[in-house]
Amino acid sequence: MSIIRGKKIILGVTGGIAAYKSAEIIRLFKTAGANVRVIMTASAKEFIRPLTLQALSGNPVHHQLLDEKAELGMSHIELAKWGDFIIIAPASADFIASMAYGKADTLLGAVLLATNAKVAVCPAMNMSMWLHEATTSNIKKLTDRGVKIIGPDTGIQACGDNGPGRMSPPSEIVNEIIDCLQPHEMAGKKVVITAGPTQEWLDPVRYISNQSSGKMGYAIAQAAAEAGAEVTLISGPVNLVALPTIKLHSVTSAEEMLENACICSQNADIFISTAAVADYAPVKKIAEKIKSTEPEIVISLKKNKDIAKTIANTYPNIFTIGFAAETQDLNKYAKEKLKAKNLNAIIANDVSRNDIGFNSEDNEVVWIDKEDEKSFPKMNKNLLAKKLITLITAKVKTIVN
Ligand code: PMT
């Protein structure tokens, strides 16, 4: 928790039954050595008394925008400059809406407009309000602006409904903030990632493709973005949603993926090829549906250009990493691909197993580069992605130094 020591945290409390949990958030931050100031909206004071939060934070609670005494002490501009991090917990549907529109009619709203600090919002509301499209679009506005959204949790609500809308537990909120404050190992790096399968169309209804859910590639994209990188994700057709901070290029064929990869890699530092690119495509796409009357048909296929190899050869300064999907002699074939594709590293992936590789939540891989081999045991793809990003950052640093 040492990262929190000495940090200046502003806790914004808005009106809602979860306001009582703000006391515990303050206690956790104070125990970890943070300096905490509280801003309450008028309706927050209906749920918890300012005196409680003042006693816990050790600082006067701020609540009035137009207050002569406050302007002489700590004005909204000074407050906005004071904080390293502003957390709104609980954040009501109403406050989220006014925040999305940049309203400054409360002290908290004015501070949020005037601050350069990182901002996190912990929504708490009835499940129907949370699921309403107005709230969804307000939340999107905030995430597009870089605001971190923590929660909400799903469960029994104060009104008796059961669903999403409960504020996340205070310990989870504090841990998420600690995570955000960790130094960003990939800050300043531009990372291009390919993910998912490609589809090579034969006629208007049939295509050739590969297995791949895109989970591994999306997990790596998310881990890189959370590590501070500027991430471009070139994705084949998948049922996944990328973080709003990731630049997503949706493609269908290997040819489109190649075209996008070449354009997006112009200023990139790192290229990670997780996509299961179809190796062959029909020589030509038939305009009308092929009739199924023939007992046998012959389809001519042509080899698709190798995207990872093209990027490695066109941009020798980019650190290029491929994945080798193998069903036997994993390390041997992976090493051959590392060399043939002129990559900096390759990640050997056994795709003969059902519990890892294609489609599953977990993966188990071996990192291979010219000097090193490192095994990653079976784990969730999100955790593996974080570990791979840490390793890639270290490898890139060694090359630069
Ligand atoms: O998407 P998931 O369901 O999460 O599954 C993850 C995964 C198993 C797809 C992934 O971890 C993986 O192994 N990806 C590589 C799949 C693959 O096509 O491997 P390959 O051995 O055929 O190709 C080697 C490398 O060359 C890969 O980095 C591939 O992206 C790249 N390649 C291949 C052909 C081609 N025309 N262009 C390429 O860039």
Side-chain angles (χ1 to χ4, degrees):
M1 288 228 179
S2 59
I3 193 105
I4 284 285
R5 188 162 300 283
K7 285 279 181 303
K8 295 175 193 142
I9 307 283
I10 294 179
L11 179 68
V13 185
T14 75
I17 197 77
Y20 76 93
K21 293 187 191 169
S22 59
E24 177 64 0
I25 297 176
I26 298 169
R27 198 190 63 76
L28 290 170
F29 276 128
K30 290 290 289 180
T31 311
N35 195 349
V36 182
R37 284 185 177 271
V38 180
I39 304 177
M40 295 179 87
T41 61
S43 50
K45 291 191 285 172
E46 304 289 330
F47 290 90
I48 185 164
R49 288 181 56 78
L51 200 59
T52 308
L53 305 190
Q54 177 175 310
L56 285 167
S57 67
N59 280 313
V61 168
H62 308 264
H63 47 88
Q64 270 179 318
L65 179 57
L66 302 171
D67 178 359
E68 282 170 25
K69 269 191 263 156
E71 290 299 314
L72 284 173
M74 197 174 242
S75 73
H76 64 282
I77 300 295
E78 281 165 298
L79 256 179
K81 287 183 184 159
W82 180 85
D84 296 314
F85 213 123
I86 304 184
I87 302 137
I88 324 290
S92 64
D94 177 59
F95 191 78
I96 287 171
S98 75
M99 198 177 158
Y101 285 92
K103 292 186 76 175
D105 54 353
T106 60
L107 176 62
L108 187 53
V111 167
L112 285 166
L113 273 192
T115 192
N116 288 323
K118 288 186 183 175
V119 178
V121 160
C122 310
M125 65 194 76
N126 164 267
M127 60 177 280
S128 303
M129 293 168 87
W130 171 250
L131 295 172
H132 196 285
E133 65 182 278
T135 305
T136 308
S137 111
N138 290 334
I139 289 286
K140 184 169 182 318
K141 280 199 183 90
L142 298 185
T143 48
D144 287 350
R145 246 182 253 158
V147 172
K148 183 169 178 64
I149 310 295
I150 302 175
D153 261 14
T154 296
I156 304 277
Q157 305 198 294
C159 55
D161 285 351
N162 192 350
R166 285 163 58 107
M167 189 172 89
S168 298
S171 58
E172 244 172 60
I173 293 173
V174 173
N175 282 339
E176 291 255 10
I177 303 301
I178 290 170
D179 243 26
C180 287
L181 288 169
Q182 299 296 344
H184 284 145
E185 53 189 358
M186 265 204 181
K189 295 281 177 236
K190 292 192 170 75
V191 183
V192 177
I193 298 161
T194 66
T198 65
Q199 293 173 349
E200 316 299 328
W201 287 80
L202 183 57
D203 70 10
V205 294
R206 303 173 181 100
Y207 59 78
I208 295 171
S209 189
N210 271 351
Q211 286 228 55
S212 173
S213 61
K215 283 178 195 163
M216 192 68 248
Y218 275 63
I220 291 179
Q222 176 157 344
E226 284 173 354
E230 191 184 302
V231 180
T232 303
L233 178 61
I234 304 165
S235 172
V238 295
N239 290 315
L240 297 172
V241 179
L243 280 186
T245 47
I246 293 172
K247 287 183 207 149
L248 179 69
H249 292 237
S250 296
V251 299
T252 306
S253 66
E255 201 178 337
E256 273 180 88
M257 190 174 268
L258 172 70
E259 202 179 298
N260 278 267
C262 287
I263 295 168
C264 298
S265 298
Q266 276 168 14
N267 299 311
D269 301 291
I270 299 164
F271 180 82
I272 310 172
S273 186
T274 67
V277 186
D279 291 309
Y280 292 90
V283 170
K284 71 170 191 227
K285 183 180 167 189
I286 314 288
E288 302 302 333
K289 184 181 173 193
I290 301 167
K291 292 286 168 217
S292 51
T293 43
E294 297 300 316
E296 204 174 274
I297 57 164
V298 175
I299 303 163
S300 289
L301 300 175
K302 62 173 189 312
K303 186 108 202 245
N304 280 326
K305 207 166 168 192
D306 194 299
I307 302 170
K309 186 176 174 177
T310 307
I311 298 299
N313 289 338
T314 317
Y315 303 107
N317 292 331
I318 297 182
F319 192 88
T320 46
I321 303 137
F323 269 75
E326 306 296 344
T327 53
Q328 53 175 327
D329 287 333
L330 200 58
N331 289 21
K332 175 175 167 272
Y333 288 126
K335 281 177 187 165
E336 283 174 14
K337 284 181 184 167
L338 172 71
K339 208 166 161 206
K341 291 171 193 264
N342 193 23
L343 303 171
N344 292 92
I346 197 139
I347 296 165
N349 202 165
D350 186 344
V351 289
S352 67
R353 285 165 55 181
N354 288 331
D355 62 328
I356 58 163
F358 291 126
N359 304 316
S360 73
E361 294 301 318
D362 299 328
N363 212 355
E364 178 182 324
V365 298
V366 183
W367 167 281
I368 301 171
D369 61 33
K370 280 158 204 150
E371 295 86 36
D372 231 1
E373 263 188 53
K374 186 171 166 42
S375 296
F376 291 87
K378 182 177 165 183
M379 66 185 90
N380 179 275
K381 281 179 180 168
N382 290 321
L383 179 60
L384 174 62
K386 283 188 184 178
K387 289 182 183 284
L388 287 173
I389 287 300
T390 300
L391 178 62
I392 293 166
T393 309
K395 292 282 174 186
V396 170
K397 254 192 205 143
T398 347
I399 287 187
V400 172
N401 299 332

